[in-house]
mmCIF file with all atom_site columns, all heavy atoms in Angstrom:
data_model
loop_
_atom_site.group_PDB
_atom_site.id
_atom_site.type_symbol
_atom_site.label_atom_id
_atom_site.label_alt_id
_atom_site.label_comp_id
_atom_site.label_asym_id
_atom_site.label_entity_id
_atom_site.label_seq_id
_atom_site.pdbx_PDB_ins_code
_atom_site.Cartn_x
_atom_site.Cartn_y
_atom_site.Cartn_z
_atom_site.occupancy
_atom_site.B_iso_or_equiv
_atom_site.pdbx_formal_charge
_atom_site.auth_seq_id
_atom_site.auth_comp_id
_atom_site.auth_asym_id
_atom_site.auth_atom_id
_atom_site.pdbx_PDB_model_num
ATOM 1   N N   . GLY A 1 262 ? -26.546 104.013 -35.196 1.00 74.00 ? 702 GLY A N   1
ATOM 2   C CA  . GLY A 1 262 ? -27.567 103.911 -34.097 1.00 74.00 ? 702 GLY A CA  1
ATOM 3   C C   . GLY A 1 262 ? -28.451 102.660 -34.246 1.00 74.00 ? 702 GLY A C   1
ATOM 4   O O   . GLY A 1 262 ? -29.532 102.601 -33.688 1.00 74.00 ? 702 GLY A O   1
ATOM 5   N N   . GLU A 1 263 ? -28.014 101.651 -34.994 1.00 71.00 ? 703 GLU A N   1
ATOM 6   C CA  . GLU A 1 263 ? -28.798 100.469 -35.219 1.00 71.00 ? 703 GLU A CA  1
ATOM 7   C C   . GLU A 1 263 ? -28.380 99.383  -34.118 1.00 71.00 ? 703 GLU A C   1
ATOM 8   O O   . GLU A 1 263 ? -27.718 98.366  -34.412 1.00 71.00 ? 703 GLU A O   1
ATOM 9   C CB  . GLU A 1 263 ? -28.591 99.886  -36.591 1.00 71.00 ? 703 GLU A CB  1
ATOM 10  C CG  . GLU A 1 263 ? -28.985 100.870 -37.671 1.00 71.00 ? 703 GLU A CG  1
ATOM 11  C CD  . GLU A 1 263 ? -28.677 100.382 -39.104 1.00 71.00 ? 703 GLU A CD  1
ATOM 12  O OE1 . GLU A 1 263 ? -27.925 99.387  -39.128 1.00 71.00 ? 703 GLU A OE1 1
ATOM 13  O OE2 . GLU A 1 263 ? -29.104 100.986 -40.061 1.00 71.00 ? 703 GLU A OE2 1
ATOM 14  N N   . CYS A 1 264 ? -28.742 99.699  -32.850 1.00 77.00 ? 704 CYS A N   1
ATOM 15  C CA  . CYS A 1 264 ? -28.327 98.804  -31.792 1.00 77.00 ? 704 CYS A CA  1
ATOM 16  C C   . CYS A 1 264 ? -29.024 97.481  -31.851 1.00 77.00 ? 704 CYS A C   1
ATOM 17  O O   . CYS A 1 264 ? -28.380 96.399  -31.615 1.00 77.00 ? 704 CYS A O   1
ATOM 18  C CB  . CYS A 1 264 ? -28.706 99.489  -30.429 1.00 77.00 ? 704 CYS A CB  1
ATOM 19  S SG  . CYS A 1 264 ? -27.729 101.012 -30.166 1.00 77.00 ? 704 CYS A SG  1
ATOM 20  N N   . ALA A 1 265 ? -30.295 97.443  -32.115 1.00 78.00 ? 705 ALA A N   1
ATOM 21  C CA  . ALA A 1 265 ? -31.019 96.142  -32.247 1.00 78.00 ? 705 ALA A CA  1
ATOM 22  C C   . ALA A 1 265 ? -30.445 95.304  -33.323 1.00 78.00 ? 705 ALA A C   1
ATOM 23  O O   . ALA A 1 265 ? -30.268 94.101  -33.155 1.00 78.00 ? 705 ALA A O   1
ATOM 24  C CB  . ALA A 1 265 ? -32.498 96.415  -32.436 1.00 78.00 ? 705 ALA A CB  1
ATOM 25  N N   . GLU A 1 266 ? -30.159 95.883  -34.487 1.00 74.00 ? 706 GLU A N   1
ATOM 26  C CA  . GLU A 1 266 ? -29.631 95.111  -35.600 1.00 74.00 ? 706 GLU A CA  1
ATOM 27  C C   . GLU A 1 266 ? -28.251 94.602  -35.302 1.00 74.00 ? 706 GLU A C   1
ATOM 28  O O   . GLU A 1 266 ? -27.862 93.500  -35.647 1.00 74.00 ? 706 GLU A O   1
ATOM 29  C CB  . GLU A 1 266 ? -29.581 95.958  -36.871 1.00 74.00 ? 706 GLU A CB  1
ATOM 30  C CG  . GLU A 1 266 ? -30.950 96.217  -37.476 1.00 74.00 ? 706 GLU A CG  1
ATOM 31  C CD  . GLU A 1 266 ? -31.681 97.397  -36.798 1.00 74.00 ? 706 GLU A CD  1
ATOM 32  O OE1 . GLU A 1 266 ? -31.086 97.916  -35.751 1.00 74.00 ? 706 GLU A OE1 1
ATOM 33  O OE2 . GLU A 1 266 ? -32.819 97.689  -37.162 1.00 74.00 ? 706 GLU A OE2 1
ATOM 34  N N   . SER A 1 267 ? -27.459 95.445  -34.606 1.00 73.00 ? 707 SER A N   1
ATOM 35  C CA  . SER A 1 267 ? -26.042 94.980  -34.303 1.00 73.00 ? 707 SER A CA  1
ATOM 36  C C   . SER A 1 267 ? -26.117 93.826  -33.297 1.00 73.00 ? 707 SER A C   1
ATOM 37  O O   . SER A 1 267 ? -25.304 92.899  -33.366 1.00 73.00 ? 707 SER A O   1
ATOM 38  C CB  . SER A 1 267 ? -25.255 96.138  -33.707 1.00 73.00 ? 707 SER A CB  1
ATOM 39  O OG  . SER A 1 267 ? -25.862 96.643  -32.471 1.00 73.00 ? 707 SER A OG  1
ATOM 40  N N   . ARG A 1 268 ? -27.037 93.836  -32.317 1.00 76.00 ? 708 ARG A N   1
ATOM 41  C CA  . ARG A 1 268 ? -27.151 92.750  -31.322 1.00 76.00 ? 708 ARG A CA  1
ATOM 42  C C   . ARG A 1 268 ? -27.604 91.517  -32.033 1.00 76.00 ? 708 ARG A C   1
ATOM 43  O O   . ARG A 1 268 ? -27.084 90.375  -31.769 1.00 76.00 ? 708 ARG A O   1
ATOM 44  C CB  . ARG A 1 268 ? -28.201 93.159  -30.292 1.00 76.00 ? 708 ARG A CB  1
ATOM 45  C CG  . ARG A 1 268 ? -28.309 92.092  -29.160 1.00 76.00 ? 708 ARG A CG  1
ATOM 46  C CD  . ARG A 1 268 ? -29.371 92.483  -28.134 1.00 76.00 ? 708 ARG A CD  1
ATOM 47  N NE  . ARG A 1 268 ? -28.944 93.682  -27.417 1.00 76.00 ? 708 ARG A NE  1
ATOM 48  C CZ  . ARG A 1 268 ? -29.543 94.859  -27.607 1.00 76.00 ? 708 ARG A CZ  1
ATOM 49  N NH1 . ARG A 1 268 ? -30.580 94.948  -28.434 1.00 76.00 ? 708 ARG A NH1 1
ATOM 50  N NH2 . ARG A 1 268 ? -29.147 95.961  -26.973 1.00 76.00 ? 708 ARG A NH2 1
ATOM 51  N N   . GLN A 1 269 ? -28.500 91.625  -33.042 1.00 78.00 ? 709 GLN A N   1
ATOM 52  C CA  . GLN A 1 269 ? -28.995 90.433  -33.779 1.00 78.00 ? 709 GLN A CA  1
ATOM 53  C C   . GLN A 1 269 ? -27.847 89.866  -34.602 1.00 78.00 ? 709 GLN A C   1
ATOM 54  O O   . GLN A 1 269 ? -27.656 88.676  -34.707 1.00 78.00 ? 709 GLN A O   1
ATOM 55  C CB  . GLN A 1 269 ? -30.174 90.825  -34.664 1.00 78.00 ? 709 GLN A CB  1
ATOM 56  C CG  . GLN A 1 269 ? -30.709 89.657  -35.420 1.00 78.00 ? 709 GLN A CG  1
ATOM 57  C CD  . GLN A 1 269 ? -31.878 90.053  -36.343 1.00 78.00 ? 709 GLN A CD  1
ATOM 58  O OE1 . GLN A 1 269 ? -32.282 91.222  -36.371 1.00 78.00 ? 709 GLN A OE1 1
ATOM 59  N NE2 . GLN A 1 269 ? -32.465 89.133  -37.031 1.00 78.00 ? 709 GLN A NE2 1
ATOM 60  N N   . TYR A 1 270 ? -27.069 90.773  -35.171 1.00 72.00 ? 710 TYR A N   1
ATOM 61  C CA  . TYR A 1 270 ? -25.905 90.355  -35.987 1.00 72.00 ? 710 TYR A CA  1
ATOM 62  C C   . TYR A 1 270 ? -24.884 89.598  -35.136 1.00 72.00 ? 710 TYR A C   1
ATOM 63  O O   . TYR A 1 270 ? -24.337 88.573  -35.567 1.00 72.00 ? 710 TYR A O   1
ATOM 64  C CB  . TYR A 1 270 ? -25.270 91.560  -36.640 1.00 72.00 ? 710 TYR A CB  1
ATOM 65  C CG  . TYR A 1 270 ? -24.133 91.196  -37.585 1.00 72.00 ? 710 TYR A CG  1
ATOM 66  C CD1 . TYR A 1 270 ? -24.356 90.828  -38.902 1.00 72.00 ? 710 TYR A CD1 1
ATOM 67  C CD2 . TYR A 1 270 ? -22.785 91.221  -37.144 1.00 72.00 ? 710 TYR A CD2 1
ATOM 68  C CE1 . TYR A 1 270 ? -23.323 90.517  -39.746 1.00 72.00 ? 710 TYR A CE1 1
ATOM 69  C CE2 . TYR A 1 270 ? -21.753 90.906  -37.997 1.00 72.00 ? 710 TYR A CE2 1
ATOM 70  C CZ  . TYR A 1 270 ? -22.010 90.546  -39.326 1.00 72.00 ? 710 TYR A CZ  1
ATOM 71  O OH  . TYR A 1 270 ? -21.001 90.199  -40.165 1.00 72.00 ? 710 TYR A OH  1
ATOM 72  N N   . LEU A 1 271 ? -24.597 90.118  -33.954 1.00 71.00 ? 711 LEU A N   1
ATOM 73  C CA  . LEU A 1 271 ? -23.690 89.439  -33.015 1.00 71.00 ? 711 LEU A CA  1
ATOM 74  C C   . LEU A 1 271 ? -24.136 88.038  -32.637 1.00 71.00 ? 711 LEU A C   1
ATOM 75  O O   . LEU A 1 271 ? -23.383 87.118  -32.546 1.00 71.00 ? 711 LEU A O   1
ATOM 76  C CB  . LEU A 1 271 ? -23.411 90.268  -31.805 1.00 71.00 ? 711 LEU A CB  1
ATOM 77  C CG  . LEU A 1 271 ? -22.584 91.521  -31.963 1.00 71.00 ? 711 LEU A CG  1
ATOM 78  C CD1 . LEU A 1 271 ? -22.512 92.361  -30.680 1.00 71.00 ? 711 LEU A CD1 1
ATOM 79  C CD2 . LEU A 1 271 ? -21.134 91.127  -32.398 1.00 71.00 ? 711 LEU A CD2 1
ATOM 80  N N   . GLU A 1 272 ? -25.448 87.904  -32.421 1.00 74.00 ? 712 GLU A N   1
ATOM 81  C CA  . GLU A 1 272 ? -25.982 86.632  -32.036 1.00 74.00 ? 712 GLU A CA  1
ATOM 82  C C   . GLU A 1 272 ? -25.854 85.568  -33.200 1.00 74.00 ? 712 GLU A C   1
ATOM 83  O O   . GLU A 1 272 ? -25.521 84.479  -33.000 1.00 74.00 ? 712 GLU A O   1
ATOM 84  C CB  . GLU A 1 272 ? -27.500 86.738  -31.627 1.00 74.00 ? 712 GLU A CB  1
ATOM 85  C CG  . GLU A 1 272 ? -27.659 87.477  -30.337 1.00 74.00 ? 712 GLU A CG  1
ATOM 86  C CD  . GLU A 1 272 ? -29.137 87.691  -30.002 1.00 74.00 ? 712 GLU A CD  1
ATOM 87  O OE1 . GLU A 1 272 ? -29.982 87.294  -30.875 1.00 74.00 ? 712 GLU A OE1 1
ATOM 88  O OE2 . GLU A 1 272 ? -29.478 88.220  -28.925 1.00 74.00 ? 712 GLU A OE2 1
ATOM 89  N N   . GLN A 1 273 ? -26.071 86.106  -34.431 1.00 74.00 ? 713 GLN A N   1
ATOM 90  C CA  . GLN A 1 273 ? -25.918 85.253  -35.584 1.00 74.00 ? 713 GLN A CA  1
ATOM 91  C C   . GLN A 1 273 ? -24.403 84.856  -35.754 1.00 74.00 ? 713 GLN A C   1
ATOM 92  O O   . GLN A 1 273 ? -24.095 83.722  -36.072 1.00 74.00 ? 713 GLN A O   1
ATOM 93  C CB  . GLN A 1 273 ? -26.396 85.968  -36.883 1.00 74.00 ? 713 GLN A CB  1
ATOM 94  C CG  . GLN A 1 273 ? -27.907 86.155  -36.883 1.00 74.00 ? 713 GLN A CG  1
ATOM 95  C CD  . GLN A 1 273 ? -28.340 86.938  -38.140 1.00 74.00 ? 713 GLN A CD  1
ATOM 96  O OE1 . GLN A 1 273 ? -27.463 87.381  -38.922 1.00 74.00 ? 713 GLN A OE1 1
ATOM 97  N NE2 . GLN A 1 273 ? -29.605 87.092  -38.305 1.00 74.00 ? 713 GLN A NE2 1
ATOM 98  N N   . PHE A 1 274 ? -23.524 85.839  -35.525 1.00 70.00 ? 714 PHE A N   1
ATOM 99  C CA  . PHE A 1 274 ? -22.087 85.574  -35.642 1.00 70.00 ? 714 PHE A CA  1
ATOM 100 C C   . PHE A 1 274 ? -21.692 84.509  -34.570 1.00 70.00 ? 714 PHE A C   1
ATOM 101 O O   . PHE A 1 274 ? -20.919 83.588  -34.845 1.00 70.00 ? 714 PHE A O   1
ATOM 102 C CB  . PHE A 1 274 ? -21.337 86.830  -35.432 1.00 70.00 ? 714 PHE A CB  1
ATOM 103 C CG  . PHE A 1 274 ? -19.862 86.644  -35.415 1.00 70.00 ? 714 PHE A CG  1
ATOM 104 C CD1 . PHE A 1 274 ? -19.103 86.360  -36.567 1.00 70.00 ? 714 PHE A CD1 1
ATOM 105 C CD2 . PHE A 1 274 ? -19.125 86.794  -34.200 1.00 70.00 ? 714 PHE A CD2 1
ATOM 106 C CE1 . PHE A 1 274 ? -17.788 86.149  -36.533 1.00 70.00 ? 714 PHE A CE1 1
ATOM 107 C CE2 . PHE A 1 274 ? -17.755 86.617  -34.177 1.00 70.00 ? 714 PHE A CE2 1
ATOM 108 C CZ  . PHE A 1 274 ? -17.089 86.328  -35.370 1.00 70.00 ? 714 PHE A CZ  1
ATOM 109 N N   . ARG A 1 275 ? -22.210 84.638  -33.329 1.00 66.00 ? 715 ARG A N   1
ATOM 110 C CA  . ARG A 1 275 ? -21.849 83.708  -32.273 1.00 66.00 ? 715 ARG A CA  1
ATOM 111 C C   . ARG A 1 275 ? -22.344 82.291  -32.601 1.00 66.00 ? 715 ARG A C   1
ATOM 112 O O   . ARG A 1 275 ? -21.695 81.296  -32.305 1.00 66.00 ? 715 ARG A O   1
ATOM 113 C CB  . ARG A 1 275 ? -22.482 84.157  -30.978 1.00 66.00 ? 715 ARG A CB  1
ATOM 114 C CG  . ARG A 1 275 ? -22.005 83.350  -29.777 1.00 66.00 ? 715 ARG A CG  1
ATOM 115 C CD  . ARG A 1 275 ? -22.658 83.820  -28.450 1.00 66.00 ? 715 ARG A CD  1
ATOM 116 N NE  . ARG A 1 275 ? -22.198 85.147  -28.110 1.00 66.00 ? 715 ARG A NE  1
ATOM 117 C CZ  . ARG A 1 275 ? -23.022 86.248  -28.161 1.00 66.00 ? 715 ARG A CZ  1
ATOM 118 N NH1 . ARG A 1 275 ? -24.279 86.129  -28.549 1.00 66.00 ? 715 ARG A NH1 1
ATOM 119 N NH2 . ARG A 1 275 ? -22.558 87.396  -27.858 1.00 66.00 ? 715 ARG A NH2 1
ATOM 120 N N   . ALA A 1 276 ? -23.542 82.215  -33.238 1.00 65.00 ? 716 ALA A N   1
ATOM 121 C CA  . ALA A 1 276 ? -24.094 80.877  -33.573 1.00 65.00 ? 716 ALA A CA  1
ATOM 122 C C   . ALA A 1 276 ? -23.263 80.134  -34.607 1.00 65.00 ? 716 ALA A C   1
ATOM 123 O O   . ALA A 1 276 ? -23.274 78.920  -34.649 1.00 65.00 ? 716 ALA A O   1
ATOM 124 C CB  . ALA A 1 276 ? -25.509 81.099  -34.087 1.00 65.00 ? 716 ALA A CB  1
ATOM 125 N N   . HIS A 1 277 ? -22.549 80.901  -35.429 1.00 63.00 ? 717 HIS A N   1
ATOM 126 C CA  . HIS A 1 277 ? -21.729 80.286  -36.497 1.00 63.00 ? 717 HIS A CA  1
ATOM 127 C C   . HIS A 1 277 ? -20.332 79.906  -36.001 1.00 63.00 ? 717 HIS A C   1
ATOM 128 O O   . HIS A 1 277 ? -19.597 79.235  -36.715 1.00 63.00 ? 717 HIS A O   1
ATOM 129 C CB  . HIS A 1 277 ? -21.601 81.206  -37.661 1.00 63.00 ? 717 HIS A CB  1
ATOM 130 C CG  . HIS A 1 277 ? -22.821 81.251  -38.491 1.00 63.00 ? 717 HIS A CG  1
ATOM 131 N ND1 . HIS A 1 277 ? -23.888 82.091  -38.218 1.00 63.00 ? 717 HIS A ND1 1
ATOM 132 C CD2 . HIS A 1 277 ? -23.177 80.580  -39.656 1.00 63.00 ? 717 HIS A CD2 1
ATOM 133 C CE1 . HIS A 1 277 ? -24.880 81.979  -39.127 1.00 63.00 ? 717 HIS A CE1 1
ATOM 134 N NE2 . HIS A 1 277 ? -24.445 81.052  -40.015 1.00 63.00 ? 717 HIS A NE2 1
#
Side-chain angles (χ1 to χ4, degrees):
E703 299 174 350
C704 295
E706 288 80 359
S707 63
R708 184 180 297 108
Q709 182 181 2
Y710 184 84
L711 285 174
E712 291 176 356
Q713 293 177 355
F714 175 72
R715 187 182 296 110
H717 284 83

